[in-house]
Amino acid sequence: MTKQAENEALLHTYNVLGAGTSVKGSLESNGNLRIDGSFEGTLSIGGKLVVGGTGSLTGNVSCASAEIEGKVKTEKMQVAGLLSLKSTSVVEGEITIQKLYIEQGAVFNGQCNMPQERV
């Protein structure tokens, strides 16, 4: 398999932290991650991060894009592309993003930085 084929396969693969599962620590992945359980620590995700409706995330985050339906409490969250806050989401903390979409009903308490230089 070529390197390009490996990278494309990673973009379509999700690592899943299922409901009822709790993890503390540091996690790094070049692919995507879906959290339906709880995670506390540091995340570095090369692809898309999804925090499902039953999911909770506490810690620092770096990812390519993110979709939040559950709860996120962060000191620093960096999203290279789009951060989408769904109507059921509750997000607290400092976020640095390129694009932001917030549905009616979503809760966001914190600071949002949107650098003028596109990364």
Side-chain angles (χ1 to χ4, degrees), residues 6-45:
E6 281 182 31
N7 289 339
E8 288 179 21
L10 284 173
L11 292 176
H12 301 291
T13 302
Y14 271 91
N15 296 297
V16 178
L17 182 63
T21 303
S22 179
V23 174
K24 289 183 181 183
S26 181
L27 178 65
E28 190 174 321
S29 173
N30 289 327
N32 303 309
L33 175 66
R34 179 177 179 94
I35 299 173
D36 290 311
S38 67
F39 183 90
E40 183 178 338
T42 303
L43 284 178
S44 179
I45 306 300

mmCIF file of all heavy atoms in Angstrom, residues 6-45:
data_model
loop_
_atom_site.group_PDB
_atom_site.id
_atom_site.type_symbol
_atom_site.label_atom_id
_atom_site.label_comp_id
_atom_site.label_asym_id
_atom_site.label_seq_id
_atom_site.Cartn_x
_atom_site.Cartn_y
_atom_site.Cartn_z
ATOM 1 N N GLU A 6 -2.467 4.931 2.344
ATOM 2 C CA GLU A 6 -2.556 4.807 3.805
ATOM 3 C C GLU A 6 -3.201 6.042 4.412
ATOM 4 O O GLU A 6 -4.065 5.941 5.279
ATOM 5 C CB GLU A 6 -1.165 4.630 4.419
ATOM 6 C CG GLU A 6 -0.610 3.254 4.319
ATOM 7 C CD GLU A 6 0.748 3.144 4.988
ATOM 8 O OE1 GLU A 6 0.991 3.870 5.984
ATOM 9 O OE2 GLU A 6 1.553 2.330 4.527
ATOM 10 N N ASN A 7 -2.776 7.229 3.961
ATOM 11 C CA ASN A 7 -3.338 8.486 4.470
ATOM 12 C C ASN A 7 -4.818 8.607 4.151
ATOM 13 O O ASN A 7 -5.600 9.054 4.976
ATOM 14 C CB ASN A 7 -2.572 9.688 3.915
ATOM 15 C CG ASN A 7 -1.178 9.800 4.503
ATOM 16 O OD1 ASN A 7 -0.900 9.251 5.558
ATOM 17 N ND2 ASN A 7 -0.304 10.492 3.803
ATOM 18 N N GLU A 8 -5.228 8.211 2.934
ATOM 19 C CA GLU A 8 -6.643 8.263 2.564
ATOM 20 C C GLU A 8 -7.455 7.284 3.404
ATOM 21 O O GLU A 8 -8.578 7.585 3.803
ATOM 22 C CB GLU A 8 -6.809 7.979 1.070
ATOM 23 C CG GLU A 8 -6.334 9.127 0.200
ATOM 24 C CD GLU A 8 -6.471 8.840 -1.286
ATOM 25 O OE1 GLU A 8 -7.266 7.956 -1.657
ATOM 26 O OE2 GLU A 8 -5.779 9.509 -2.067
ATOM 27 N N ALA A 9 -6.902 6.108 3.679
ATOM 28 C CA ALA A 9 -7.598 5.118 4.517
ATOM 29 C C ALA A 9 -7.801 5.664 5.928
ATOM 30 O O ALA A 9 -8.852 5.460 6.540
ATOM 31 C CB ALA A 9 -6.820 3.811 4.551
ATOM 32 N N LEU A 10 -6.817 6.374 6.466
ATOM 33 C CA LEU A 10 -6.932 6.961 7.801
ATOM 34 C C LEU A 10 -8.053 7.989 7.869
ATOM 35 O O LEU A 10 -8.736 8.105 8.884
ATOM 36 C CB LEU A 10 -5.610 7.623 8.222
ATOM 37 C CG LEU A 10 -4.498 6.686 8.662
ATOM 38 C CD1 LEU A 10 -3.208 7.472 8.870
ATOM 39 C CD2 LEU A 10 -4.880 5.935 9.917
ATOM 40 N N LEU A 11 -8.256 8.743 6.809
ATOM 41 C CA LEU A 11 -9.291 9.775 6.798
ATOM 42 C C LEU A 11 -10.697 9.191 6.869
ATOM 43 O O LEU A 11 -11.630 9.866 7.265
ATOM 44 C CB LEU A 11 -9.146 10.658 5.555
ATOM 45 C CG LEU A 11 -7.901 11.538 5.524
ATOM 46 C CD1 LEU A 11 -7.826 12.293 4.212
ATOM 47 C CD2 LEU A 11 -7.878 12.503 6.693
ATOM 48 N N HIS A 12 -10.850 7.932 6.484
ATOM 49 C CA HIS A 12 -12.167 7.297 6.490
ATOM 50 C C HIS A 12 -12.347 6.311 7.639
ATOM 51 O O HIS A 12 -13.358 5.632 7.725
ATOM 52 C CB HIS A 12 -12.407 6.601 5.146
ATOM 53 C CG HIS A 12 -12.344 7.535 3.985
ATOM 54 N ND1 HIS A 12 -13.298 8.495 3.753
ATOM 55 C CD2 HIS A 12 -11.425 7.693 3.008
ATOM 56 C CE1 HIS A 12 -12.977 9.192 2.688
ATOM 57 N NE2 HIS A 12 -11.832 8.724 2.212
ATOM 58 N N THR A 13 -11.381 6.242 8.537
ATOM 59 C CA THR A 13 -11.422 5.323 9.659
ATOM 60 C C THR A 13 -11.631 6.096 10.956
ATOM 61 O O THR A 13 -11.024 7.131 11.167
ATOM 62 C CB THR A 13 -10.084 4.548 9.759
ATOM 63 O OG1 THR A 13 -9.874 3.872 8.535
ATOM 64 C CG2 THR A 13 -10.111 3.562 10.895
ATOM 65 N N TYR A 14 -12.533 5.588 11.802
ATOM 66 C CA TYR A 14 -12.766 6.206 13.109
ATOM 67 C C TYR A 14 -12.293 5.281 14.216
ATOM 68 O O TYR A 14 -12.610 4.096 14.223
ATOM 69 C CB TYR A 14 -14.260 6.492 13.327
ATOM 70 C CG TYR A 14 -14.687 7.839 12.827
ATOM 71 C CD1 TYR A 14 -15.151 7.999 11.546
ATOM 72 C CD2 TYR A 14 -14.611 8.959 13.648
ATOM 73 C CE1 TYR A 14 -15.538 9.245 11.084
ATOM 74 C CE2 TYR A 14 -14.998 10.208 13.189
ATOM 75 C CZ TYR A 14 -15.462 10.343 11.907
ATOM 76 O OH TYR A 14 -15.830 11.579 11.457
ATOM 77 N N ASN A 15 -11.535 5.839 15.137
ATOM 78 C CA ASN A 15 -11.266 5.186 16.402
ATOM 79 C C ASN A 15 -12.438 5.586 17.290
ATOM 80 O O ASN A 15 -12.877 6.733 17.253
ATOM 81 C CB ASN A 15 -9.953 5.707 17.010
ATOM 82 C CG ASN A 15 -8.762 5.364 16.144
ATOM 83 O OD1 ASN A 15 -8.460 4.205 15.946
ATOM 84 N ND2 ASN A 15 -8.107 6.380 15.606
ATOM 85 N N VAL A 16 -12.958 4.655 18.068
ATOM 86 C CA VAL A 16 -14.158 4.936 18.862
ATOM 87 C C VAL A 16 -13.897 4.647 20.334
ATOM 88 O O VAL A 16 -13.399 3.575 20.691
ATOM 89 C CB VAL A 16 -15.358 4.100 18.383
ATOM 90 C CG1 VAL A 16 -16.574 4.353 19.247
ATOM 91 C CG2 VAL A 16 -15.674 4.388 16.927
ATOM 92 N N LEU A 17 -14.251 5.621 21.167
ATOM 93 C CA LEU A 17 -14.248 5.458 22.614
ATOM 94 C C LEU A 17 -15.721 5.338 22.990
ATOM 95 O O LEU A 17 -16.441 6.331 23.013
ATOM 96 C CB LEU A 17 -13.581 6.657 23.287
ATOM 97 C CG LEU A 17 -13.455 6.635 24.796
ATOM 98 C CD1 LEU A 17 -12.571 5.474 25.222
ATOM 99 C CD2 LEU A 17 -12.862 7.938 25.275
ATOM 100 N N GLY A 18 -16.188 4.123 23.212
ATOM 101 C CA GLY A 18 -17.604 3.842 23.375
ATOM 102 C C GLY A 18 -18.215 4.349 24.670
ATOM 103 O O GLY A 18 -17.520 4.640 25.644
ATOM 104 N N ALA A 19 -19.550 4.440 24.665
ATOM 105 C CA ALA A 19 -20.308 4.849 25.845
ATOM 106 C C ALA A 19 -19.980 3.893 26.984
ATOM 107 O O ALA A 19 -19.820 2.690 26.786
ATOM 108 C CB ALA A 19 -21.800 4.831 25.542
ATOM 109 N N GLY A 20 -19.825 4.434 28.187
ATOM 110 C CA GLY A 20 -19.499 3.624 29.350
ATOM 111 C C GLY A 20 -18.006 3.407 29.541
ATOM 112 O O GLY A 20 -17.591 2.793 30.512
ATOM 113 N N THR A 21 -17.198 3.924 28.612
ATOM 114 C CA THR A 21 -15.746 3.789 28.700
ATOM 115 C C THR A 21 -15.148 5.114 29.140
ATOM 116 O O THR A 21 -15.528 6.169 28.646
ATOM 117 C CB THR A 21 -15.148 3.382 27.335
ATOM 118 O OG1 THR A 21 -15.751 2.166 26.915
ATOM 119 C CG2 THR A 21 -13.651 3.212 27.426
ATOM 120 N N SER A 22 -14.210 5.051 30.072
ATOM 121 C CA SER A 22 -13.557 6.245 30.588
ATOM 122 C C SER A 22 -12.048 6.089 30.436
ATOM 123 O O SER A 22 -11.489 5.069 30.827
ATOM 124 C CB SER A 22 -13.916 6.430 32.065
ATOM 125 O OG SER A 22 -13.280 7.568 32.583
ATOM 126 N N VAL A 23 -11.397 7.110 29.863
ATOM 127 C CA VAL A 23 -9.956 7.065 29.639
ATOM 128 C C VAL A 23 -9.327 8.346 30.162
ATOM 129 O O VAL A 23 -9.857 9.436 29.950
ATOM 130 C CB VAL A 23 -9.626 6.902 28.132
ATOM 131 C CG1 VAL A 23 -8.134 6.992 27.886
ATOM 132 C CG2 VAL A 23 -10.180 5.606 27.590
ATOM 133 N N LYS A 24 -8.174 8.194 30.854
ATOM 134 C CA LYS A 24 -7.381 9.336 31.293
ATOM 135 C C LYS A 24 -5.987 9.163 30.715
ATOM 136 O O LYS A 24 -5.443 8.070 30.738
ATOM 137 C CB LYS A 24 -7.281 9.396 32.823
ATOM 138 C CG LYS A 24 -8.556 9.766 33.503
ATOM 139 C CD LYS A 24 -8.351 9.886 34.999
ATOM 140 C CE LYS A 24 -9.668 10.241 35.681
ATOM 141 N NZ LYS A 24 -9.500 10.429 37.112
ATOM 142 N N GLY A 25 -5.432 10.266 30.193
ATOM 143 C CA GLY A 25 -4.074 10.192 29.666
ATOM 144 C C GLY A 25 -3.895 11.037 28.432
ATOM 145 O O GLY A 25 -4.509 12.090 28.277
ATOM 146 N N SER A 26 -3.072 10.543 27.533
ATOM 147 C CA SER A 26 -2.727 11.250 26.306
ATOM 148 C C SER A 26 -2.987 10.329 25.132
ATOM 149 O O SER A 26 -2.642 9.146 25.178
ATOM 150 C CB SER A 26 -1.253 11.651 26.361
ATOM 151 O OG SER A 26 -0.891 12.351 25.211
ATOM 152 N N LEU A 27 -3.617 10.877 24.084
ATOM 153 C CA LEU A 27 -3.938 10.073 22.905
ATOM 154 C C LEU A 27 -3.562 10.848 21.657
ATOM 155 O O LEU A 27 -3.889 12.027 21.530
ATOM 156 C CB LEU A 27 -5.426 9.730 22.879
ATOM 157 C CG LEU A 27 -5.925 8.934 21.681
ATOM 158 C CD1 LEU A 27 -5.299 7.542 21.672
ATOM 159 C CD2 LEU A 27 -7.433 8.824 21.714
ATOM 160 N N GLU A 28 -2.852 10.168 20.762
ATOM 161 C CA GLU A 28 -2.437 10.770 19.499
ATOM 162 C C GLU A 28 -2.834 9.837 18.368
ATOM 163 O O GLU A 28 -2.589 8.632 18.442
ATOM 164 C CB GLU A 28 -0.918 10.961 19.514
ATOM 165 C CG GLU A 28 -0.386 11.782 18.384
ATOM 166 C CD GLU A 28 1.099 12.059 18.536
ATOM 167 O OE1 GLU A 28 1.555 12.296 19.664
ATOM 168 O OE2 GLU A 28 1.784 12.026 17.509
ATOM 169 N N SER A 29 -3.462 10.397 17.326
ATOM 170 C CA SER A 29 -3.886 9.596 16.190
ATOM 171 C C SER A 29 -3.820 10.441 14.927
ATOM 172 O O SER A 29 -4.157 11.623 14.942
ATOM 173 C CB SER A 29 -5.314 9.087 16.398
ATOM 174 O OG SER A 29 -5.785 8.448 15.218
ATOM 175 N N ASN A 30 -3.398 9.820 13.822
ATOM 176 C CA ASN A 30 -3.413 10.511 12.535
ATOM 177 C C ASN A 30 -4.787 10.444 11.892
ATOM 178 O O ASN A 30 -5.062 11.156 10.937
ATOM 179 C CB ASN A 30 -2.377 9.901 11.588
ATOM 180 C CG ASN A 30 -0.970 10.235 12.013
ATOM 181 O OD1 ASN A 30 -0.715 11.301 12.564
ATOM 182 N ND2 ASN A 30 -0.051 9.319 11.787
ATOM 183 N N GLY A 31 -5.662 9.576 12.410
ATOM 184 C CA GLY A 31 -6.997 9.407 11.854
ATOM 185 C C GLY A 31 -8.037 10.218 12.588
ATOM 186 O O GLY A 31 -7.755 11.280 13.140
ATOM 187 N N ASN A 32 -9.261 9.703 12.600
ATOM 188 C CA ASN A 32 -10.407 10.341 13.232
ATOM 189 C C ASN A 32 -10.684 9.683 14.585
ATOM 190 O O ASN A 32 -10.298 8.542 14.808
ATOM 191 C CB ASN A 32 -11.642 10.198 12.343
ATOM 192 C CG ASN A 32 -11.424 10.776 10.963
ATOM 193 O OD1 ASN A 32 -10.989 11.911 10.819
ATOM 194 N ND2 ASN A 32 -11.695 9.996 9.934
ATOM 195 N N LEU A 33 -11.395 10.399 15.456
ATOM 196 C CA LEU A 33 -11.752 9.859 16.766
ATOM 197 C C LEU A 33 -13.171 10.264 17.115
ATOM 198 O O LEU A 33 -13.542 11.425 16.968
ATOM 199 C CB LEU A 33 -10.793 10.372 17.852
ATOM 200 C CG LEU A 33 -11.134 9.977 19.293
ATOM 201 C CD1 LEU A 33 -10.998 8.466 19.490
ATOM 202 C CD2 LEU A 33 -10.245 10.722 20.282
ATOM 203 N N ARG A 34 -13.955 9.297 17.583
ATOM 204 C CA ARG A 34 -15.301 9.565 18.100
ATOM 205 C C ARG A 34 -15.317 9.178 19.567
ATOM 206 O O ARG A 34 -14.918 8.069 19.932
ATOM 207 C CB ARG A 34 -16.351 8.780 17.331
ATOM 208 C CG ARG A 34 -17.754 9.028 17.865
ATOM 209 C CD ARG A 34 -18.839 8.327 17.095
ATOM 210 N NE ARG A 34 -20.111 8.623 17.716
ATOM 211 C CZ ARG A 34 -20.925 9.601 17.353
ATOM 212 N NH1 ARG A 34 -20.619 10.361 16.331
ATOM 213 N NH2 ARG A 34 -22.067 9.809 17.986
ATOM 214 N N ILE A 35 -15.805 10.105 20.413
ATOM 215 C CA ILE A 35 -15.895 9.862 21.847
ATOM 216 C C ILE A 35 -17.364 9.838 22.255
ATOM 217 O O ILE A 35 -18.055 10.845 22.143
ATOM 218 C CB ILE A 35 -15.150 10.959 22.645
ATOM 219 C CG1 ILE A 35 -13.670 10.977 22.279
ATOM 220 C CG2 ILE A 35 -15.346 10.750 24.148
ATOM 221 C CD1 ILE A 35 -12.887 12.120 22.892
ATOM 222 N N ASP A 36 -17.826 8.671 22.705
ATOM 223 C CA ASP A 36 -19.178 8.541 23.263
ATOM 224 C C ASP A 36 -19.105 8.261 24.759
ATOM 225 O O ASP A 36 -20.106 8.316 25.444
ATOM 226 C CB ASP A 36 -19.955 7.430 22.543
ATOM 227 C CG ASP A 36 -20.299 7.817 21.111
ATOM 228 O OD1 ASP A 36 -20.810 8.929 20.909
ATOM 229 O OD2 ASP A 36 -20.033 7.023 20.194
ATOM 230 N N GLY A 37 -17.909 7.974 25.258
ATOM 231 C CA GLY A 37 -17.648 7.790 26.684
ATOM 232 C C GLY A 37 -17.059 9.072 27.236
ATOM 233 O O GLY A 37 -17.482 10.165 26.873
ATOM 234 N N SER A 38 -16.045 8.940 28.098
ATOM 235 C CA SER A 38 -15.401 10.141 28.631
ATOM 236 C C SER A 38 -13.887 10.033 28.473
ATOM 237 O O SER A 38 -13.317 8.951 28.607
ATOM 238 C CB SER A 38 -15.774 10.371 30.093
ATOM 239 O OG SER A 38 -15.236 9.358 30.909
ATOM 240 N N PHE A 39 -13.284 11.177 28.180
ATOM 241 C CA PHE A 39 -11.845 11.256 28.028
ATOM 242 C C PHE A 39 -11.339 12.448 28.810
ATOM 243 O O PHE A 39 -11.902 13.540 28.715
ATOM 244 C CB PHE A 39 -11.434 11.406 26.555
ATOM 245 C CG PHE A 39 -9.943 11.418 26.363
ATOM 246 C CD1 PHE A 39 -9.260 10.238 26.157
ATOM 247 C CD2 PHE A 39 -9.227 12.601 26.426
ATOM 248 C CE1 PHE A 39 -7.877 10.235 26.003
ATOM 249 C CE2 PHE A 39 -7.850 12.615 26.271
ATOM 250 C CZ PHE A 39 -7.175 11.431 26.057
ATOM 251 N N GLU A 40 -10.254 12.248 29.573
ATOM 252 C CA GLU A 40 -9.626 13.330 30.315
ATOM 253 C C GLU A 40 -8.134 13.289 30.025
ATOM 254 O O GLU A 40 -7.489 12.268 30.250
ATOM 255 C CB GLU A 40 -9.870 13.166 31.817
ATOM 256 C CG GLU A 40 -9.311 14.299 32.643
ATOM 257 C CD GLU A 40 -9.593 14.142 34.125
ATOM 258 O OE1 GLU A 40 -10.541 13.410 34.495
ATOM 259 O OE2 GLU A 40 -8.857 14.748 34.921
ATOM 260 N N GLY A 41 -7.605 14.382 29.484
ATOM 261 C CA GLY A 41 -6.183 14.424 29.174
ATOM 262 C C GLY A 41 -5.891 15.275 27.957
ATOM 263 O O GLY A 41 -6.537 16.287 27.728
ATOM 264 N N THR A 42 -4.930 14.822 27.161
ATOM 265 C CA THR A 42 -4.494 15.558 25.980
ATOM 266 C C THR A 42 -4.766 14.743 24.729
ATOM 267 O O THR A 42 -4.413 13.566 24.661
ATOM 268 C CB THR A 42 -2.978 15.853 26.078
ATOM 269 O OG1 THR A 42 -2.731 16.579 27.272
ATOM 270 C CG2 THR A 42 -2.504 16.670 24.893
ATOM 271 N N LEU A 43 -5.397 15.392 23.739
ATOM 272 C CA LEU A 43 -5.696 14.742 22.465
ATOM 273 C C LEU A 43 -4.987 15.465 21.332
ATOM 274 O O LEU A 43 -5.029 16.692 21.249
ATOM 275 C CB LEU A 43 -7.198 14.797 22.153
ATOM 276 C CG LEU A 43 -8.133 13.866 22.887
ATOM 277 C CD1 LEU A 43 -9.574 14.133 22.435
ATOM 278 C CD2 LEU A 43 -7.777 12.426 22.626
ATOM 279 N N SER A 44 -4.399 14.700 20.431
ATOM 280 C CA SER A 44 -3.842 15.238 19.200
ATOM 281 C C SER A 44 -4.361 14.355 18.070
ATOM 282 O O SER A 44 -3.931 13.204 17.926
ATOM 283 C CB SER A 44 -2.318 15.222 19.248
ATOM 284 O OG SER A 44 -1.795 15.733 18.039
ATOM 285 N N ILE A 45 -5.308 14.886 17.311
ATOM 286 C CA ILE A 45 -6.002 14.108 16.295
ATOM 287 C C ILE A 45 -5.733 14.727 14.920
ATOM 288 O O ILE A 45 -6.031 15.897 14.694
ATOM 289 C CB ILE A 45 -7.536 14.091 16.565
ATOM 290 C CG1 ILE A 45 -7.822 13.601 17.989
ATOM 291 C CG2 ILE A 45 -8.275 13.250 15.527
ATOM 292 C CD1 ILE A 45 -7.330 12.213 18.295
#
